[in-house]
Amino acid sequence: MPRGRSKDLIDKRNEALCRRWYYWTEVQRLRFDDALKILSEQEFFISEDRVMAIIRQYCKEHPEGDIRPAPKIKVPKLTAGQLRLFAGE
């Protein structure tokens, strides 16, 4: 028996995590950040970043599924000069 973590068990965990993601976001209609917090702190005990990484990887490997991760949110970087344009100065 090889040492280390079982690939089969990790795959089953990832699939279960994605099913729970679908349940919380689609069936219970929770916001994705609330679903992340539940999965991370109450159900799987791994970081929120790791939960999202697992969901994204699972979606890439199984494109036929109904599970879709929340998109990465890019925050625009504004300079002080750009902000002044909005203030009307």
Side-chain angles (χ1 to χ4, degrees), residues 39-80:
L39 291 172
S40 173
E41 296 176 1
Q42 297 175 14
E43 294 188 5
F44 290 93
F45 310 105
I46 54 179
S47 72
E48 291 181 11
D49 292 335
R50 185 67 188 134
V51 170
M52 282 308 302
I54 290 169
I55 293 169
R56 285 192 179 102
Q57 179 183 3
Y58 188 86
C59 290
K60 285 180 186 175
E61 293 172 358
H62 302 88
E64 71 283 349
D66 292 334
I67 300 168
R68 298 284 175 253
K72 288 186 179 180
I73 298 172
K74 295 183 180 179
V75 179
K77 296 179 182 177
L78 298 175
T79 64

Side-chain angles (χ1 to χ4, degrees), residues 1-18:
M1 197 163 123
R3 297 181 66 120
R5 301 187 62 189
S6 168
K7 174 79 169 131
D8 187 47
L9 291 178
I10 291 172
D11 290 341
K12 287 179 182 180
R13 186 237 12 225
N14 292 351
E15 182 179 352
L17 187 145
C18 289

